Each structure stands twice: as C-alpha cells, then as structure tokens.
C-alpha cells in the first residue's frame, strides 16, 4: 500500500507545490487506487506518477473549498478518454452532487461510466465496507463542513506453513490459495483445515487516516487512533496558532500533538501555506518532531510506503 502526494499546498498553487490531492495505491494484487481531494490540475499531476486514471475506483472529498475540488470536472471527464469504463464512487459533503451536475450540464459533459455520488451527513459514520477495507468519515472543525477519512484494512492470514500442509496431505495448488485468502478447506476424508491451523500468525491490516482542513479537534484524534499513517494539514509554522485557528487550520506542532494523542505510528504534514518554500520544510518538520518523533513533510510526487506488520 502506497500513499502518493499529488499536491501539498494550501489555497492556491505556487512554484513549489500544487493544491491538495492525495492518492492511496491499493496493495497488490489490486491495481486500483483511491483519490482524496482533487485540487485544480490534479489530472496533470497524475502524469508524473505510476497511476492510471482508468484504474481510479473511489474519490473522497473532504470539503468544498476550491483548492480541494476544482480539479474534479476535468479529471472525471478525462477518465472516459483514458479508457475508464468501470463505475466510480465519490463521497463528500452535501453540495458535491450539485457542483458536478451543474458543471457537467453547462459544459454538455457525458461520461462513459457510472458515477455514483454519496453526500455524507455531518456525523461520524462507517461509509464503505467490503472484504478488504472499511472506511469511516467524521466531521472536523473548519470554516465550512469538512470531513476526515479513516481507511482500515482487514487482517490477513500470515505465511502458509508449507511443510505442515504437506504433512496433512495437502498438495500445493488451489487449496493453498483458498487458505491464503482466509478460507477453510475440506479434505477428501472430511477433515476441515482452517487458515489458523496452517498459517504463521497474521498480517495486521493497515490503517490510514486522511484529514481535511481542520483546527485541533477530538474527531481528528478519533479518526487517527493507532493509524499507521496520519496525513495532517500543517498550514502554518509553530507560533501562528491564532492565525491558523482564525481560518480553521493547524500549525506543525498541533498536527504532531494530534498524532501523539492518537497513538499513531507516522504523520505526514501537508497543506503548507505558500509563504513556505520547500527549503523551509526541514524547519517545519523539526518543530513537529519535537513533539512526535516519526514525522515527514509531504512534497509533490512524494510517496510513502505503508508495510503490513507480521504478528505471531
């Protein structure tokens, strides 16, 4: 599982970084990916990373400020031209559907795939679940309704103990595959073998939290609880808390404090004010690292790999 940063700036693009967009590349053997926010020119940013627009499965919009969604109409339209024919599902605040419907109506845009839009209420809720993932959303504190998202991957059986399987008379092949995918098998003599019988521990599911624009709040702590990675805005440097809160944002130290309270493993700072150049990012990281040790500053086209943990 990888997190690609397509835009890490706040408010408007500048020569250092584009506006907000983040891609979650799903783990192999999946080839799909999910997008969190879609600032202006996100489809241009995608040309610099190994993600195909036709493989985009879901889009999660945190809020309706322009720097988080002005890139949506163009990206959705281009997906048709890129061979995207599978359904695409979008989640976001109330008003998202009206925005897309209005732009598409005025521009006579037609898609070659089904677009499903879910407008979310301003309350904590589970919004998606399947055999691999569960996604939860919750309201943050910003100048307009704004959401944070928590992606939980399900645990998987650990490595198969091949010697033990062979000792039980199980030959490699489809039965191995069923056990590896978490399904029990039945032998010819009626013996039932479960994955727990023949696997070495479990591969713990990963947790990724992507927060929209926010001032410090309890929901940010809740969504980030025990996350392997929290993506947290850090619009301003330490010492500018009053200015940050005036506009519904956080400082570097406040982002680090959220990660600390949540018991997260790593925090990626993003959504930097245009006042900071890329050369300033080291100082911003140092501020946060004084509170929380494992912190990075996201940069455009940067990637974070999130590994599974093998637990016995």
């Amino acid at each position: 599982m990888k997190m690609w940063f397509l835009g890490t700036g706040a408010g408007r693009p500048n020569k250092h970084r584009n506006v907000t967009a983040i891609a979650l590349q799903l783990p192999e053997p999946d080839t799909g990916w999910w997008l969190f926010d879609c600032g202006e020119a996100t489809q241009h940013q995608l040309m610099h990373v190994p993600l195909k627009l036709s493989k985009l499965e879901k889009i999660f919009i945190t809020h309706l400020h322009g720097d988080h969604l002005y890139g949506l109409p163009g990206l959705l339209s281009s997906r048709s031209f890129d061979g995207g024919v599978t359904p695409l599902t979008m989640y976001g605040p109330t008003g998202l559907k009206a925005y897309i419907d209005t732009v598409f109506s005025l521009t006579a845009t037609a898609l070659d795939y089904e677009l499903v839009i879910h407008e979310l209420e301003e309350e904590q809720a589970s919004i998606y679940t399947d055999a691999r993932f569960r996604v939860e959303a919750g309201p943050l504190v910003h100048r307009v309704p704004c959401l944070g998202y928590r992606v939980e991957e399900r645990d998987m059986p650990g490595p198969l103990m091949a010697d033990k399987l062979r000792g039980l008379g199980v030959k490699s092949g489809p039965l191995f595959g069923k056990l590896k995918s978490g399904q029990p098998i039945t032998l010819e003599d009626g013996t039932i073998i479960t994955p727990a019988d023949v696997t070495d521990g479990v591969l713990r599911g990963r947790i990724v939290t992507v927060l929209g624009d926010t001032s410090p709040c309890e929901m940010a702590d809740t969504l980030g609880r025990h996350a392997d990675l929290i993506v947290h805005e850090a619009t301003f440097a330490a010492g500018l808390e009053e200015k940050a809160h005036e506009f519904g944002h956080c400082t570097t130290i406040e982002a680090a404090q959220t990660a600390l309270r949540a018991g997260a493993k790593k925090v990626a700072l993003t959504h930097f004010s245009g006042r900071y150049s890329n050369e300033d990012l080291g100082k911003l990281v140092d501020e946060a690292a004084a509170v929380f040790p494992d912190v990075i500053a996201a940069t455009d086209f940067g990637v974070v790999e999130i590994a599974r943990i093998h637990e016995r």
Side-chain angles (χ1 to χ4, degrees):
M1 185 184 287
K2 296 179 180 179
M3 184 72 82
W4 293 88
F5 293 93
L6 305 175
T8 56
R12 59 181 179 174
N14 59 44
K15 65 180 181 180
H16 308 296
R17 57 190 74 95
N18 198 48
V19 284
T20 298
I22 305 162
L24 179 63
Q25 184 177 357
L26 302 180
E28 295 181 350
D30 296 298
T31 58
W33 58 282
W34 296 352
L35 180 65
F36 294 82
D37 283 337
C38 188
E40 181 182 354
T42 292
Q43 64 174 317
H44 293 262
Q45 299 291 91
L46 276 170
M47 298 177 188
H48 299 276
V49 299
L51 298 172
K52 294 183 178 181
L53 190 51
S54 60
K55 298 294 185 180
L56 175 60
E57 297 177 358
K58 299 185 185 302
I59 300 176
F60 301 88
I61 298 298
T62 61
H63 62 295
L64 303 186
H65 276 157
D67 58 323
H68 292 256
L69 91 164
Y70 279 167
L72 260 181
L75 180 138
L76 293 174
S77 178
S78 292
R79 185 174 185 264
S80 287
F81 291 102
D82 259 13
V85 294
T86 55
L88 176 64
T89 307
M90 245 187 343
Y91 303 83
T94 300
L96 179 60
K97 188 176 187 303
Y99 170 68
I100 295 299
D101 287 348
T102 300
V103 174
F104 281 4
S105 175
L106 292 174
T107 57
T109 299
L111 304 179
D112 294 332
Y113 57 88
E114 180 186 10
L115 176 64
V116 180
I117 301 176
H118 295 287
E119 294 188 329
L120 307 177
E121 300 295 330
E122 291 185 60
E123 58 186 25
Q124 186 178 358
S126 176
I127 61 170
Y128 175 75
T129 184
D130 65 12
R132 302 171 302 165
F133 299 102
R134 176 178 179 268
V135 182
E136 186 175 320
L140 303 174
V141 176
H142 193 46
R143 291 180 295 149
V144 298
C146 187
L147 299 163
Y149 295 100
R150 174 185 175 92
V151 179
E152 297 180 358
E153 182 185 32
R154 299 187 188 280
D155 293 344
M156 292 289 290
L160 288 176
M161 294 183 284
D163 290 344
K164 187 170 183 178
L165 279 166
R166 282 190 286 268
L168 292 169
V170 182
K171 297 179 180 179
S172 59
L175 294 181
F176 272 48
K178 288 188 69 174
L179 288 165
K180 185 62 179 174
S181 67
Q183 303 175 62
I185 63 171
T186 302
L187 303 184
E188 291 181 0
D189 64 2
T191 301
I192 297 175
I193 300 176
T194 68
D197 297 328
V198 291
T199 53
D200 180 13
V202 298
L203 296 174
R204 187 180 61 76
R206 290 157 283 196
I207 300 172
V208 176
T209 298
V210 180
L211 301 176
D213 293 1
T214 188
S215 291
C217 65
E218 186 176 344
M219 182 57 68
D221 301 351
T222 299
L223 294 174
R225 184 168 176 79
H226 301 318
D228 293 274
L229 175 67
I230 295 180
V231 179
H232 198 304
E233 71 128 283
T235 309
F236 295 103
L240 294 175
E241 285 76 16
E242 184 176 348
K243 183 176 184 64
H245 299 170
E246 179 185 356
F247 295 100
H249 292 300
C250 280
T251 65
T252 52
I253 286 181
E254 289 173 329
Q257 289 169 337
T258 294
L260 186 66
R261 290 191 300 267
K265 292 181 173 59
K266 180 188 288 286
V267 61
L269 306 180
T270 189
H271 200 264
F272 302 111
S273 166
R275 67 177 62 195
Y276 305 115
S277 70
N278 282 348
E279 288 70 31
D280 295 323
L281 295 185
K283 176 179 179 294
L284 300 181
V285 167
D286 289 343
E287 291 176 354
V291 174
F292 183 83
D294 197 347
V295 55
I296 63 167
T299 55
D300 285 24
F301 314 123
V303 60
V304 176
E305 185 152 5
I306 309 153
R308 274 191 184 268
I309 296 175
H310 181 203
E311 295 180 344
R312 289 185 169 86

